Amino acid sequence: MSHSQIASPEGLALVARLRDFCTKLPVVEEKVDGFGHTTFRVKDKPFIFVGESDDQVSTSFKTNLTTQEFLLGQDGTPYKKTPYIGQHGWVSIMNIELVPWAEIEDLIVEGYARTAPKKIVQQLKATMS
C-alpha cells in the first residue's frame, strides 16, 4: 500500500467539502503530513485525517470512546477503528458516501471540540448558539 497525496477527483472533492466546513471553525489549519494525509488541525493538533492509497480515499475523525463504540456497533456500519490511533477514539470511513453529511458535520464538530483548547471551544459554542 503506497501513501501519496490525494490526487483522485473524489478525494479532492471530499477535501474541498471538508475544507468548506472546517474553515468556518476558529483557528483551523489545513496541513499535509509526512504520510501525504491532508489533515485539519486546531493549534497544530489534528482532528481529521484524509488519506488515499490504491485509489481508495479514507477519512478519519477524532471521537470519544463512547461515540466510537456506538458507531462501530451499528449493523452494517461503514465505520472502522482507525489503525494505530483507534485506541484513542479515532474512527475511519472508507466510503464517506455511505454516511449522511449531517453526521459527518457532527463528527467534525465533536473532533474539533475534543482537540481545541477550552477557550477556543467556548468561542465556538458562542458562535453556534
Side-chain angles (χ1 to χ4, degrees), residues 3-4 7 22 30 39 54 71-72 75 83 87 93 121 123 128:
H3 290 288
S4 55
C22 290
E30 180 179 334
T39 65
D54 306 325
L71 294 171
L72 297 176
D75 282 342
Q87 76 272 22
I93 310 168
V121 173
Q123 222 178 311
M128 291 179 81

Side-chain angles (χ1 to χ4, degrees), residues 48-120:
I48 301 175
F49 286 100
V50 186
E52 187 170 77
S53 61
D54 306 325
D55 292 330
Q56 172 92 50
V57 178
S58 68
T59 313
S60 302
F61 300 92
K62 185 173 178 83
T63 65
N64 67 36
L65 293 171
T66 308
T67 301
Q68 182 192 54
E69 196 176 316
F70 172 76
L71 294 171
L72 297 176
Q74 298 175 68
D75 282 342
T77 185
Y79 295 97
K80 64 180 197 156
K81 195 182 270 197
T82 305
Y84 309 111
I85 54 176
Q87 76 272 22
H88 302 295
W90 285 81
V91 294
S92 295
I93 310 168
M94 296 312 277
N95 183 356
I96 206 161
E97 301 297 313
L98 299 174
V99 180
W101 189 253
E103 189 171 310
I104 298 300
E105 289 181 354
D106 288 346
L107 286 171
I108 293 169
V109 171
E110 179 180 330
Y112 177 88
R114 293 190 57 72
T115 307
K118 283 189 175 83
K119 256 186 197 160
I120 294 174

Side-chain angles (χ1 to χ4, degrees), residues 36-51:
H37 301 123
T38 298
T39 65
F40 291 92
R41 301 166 172 263
V42 58
K43 293 287 186 183
D44 209 35
K45 291 183 179 163
F47 60 97
I48 301 175
F49 286 100
V50 186

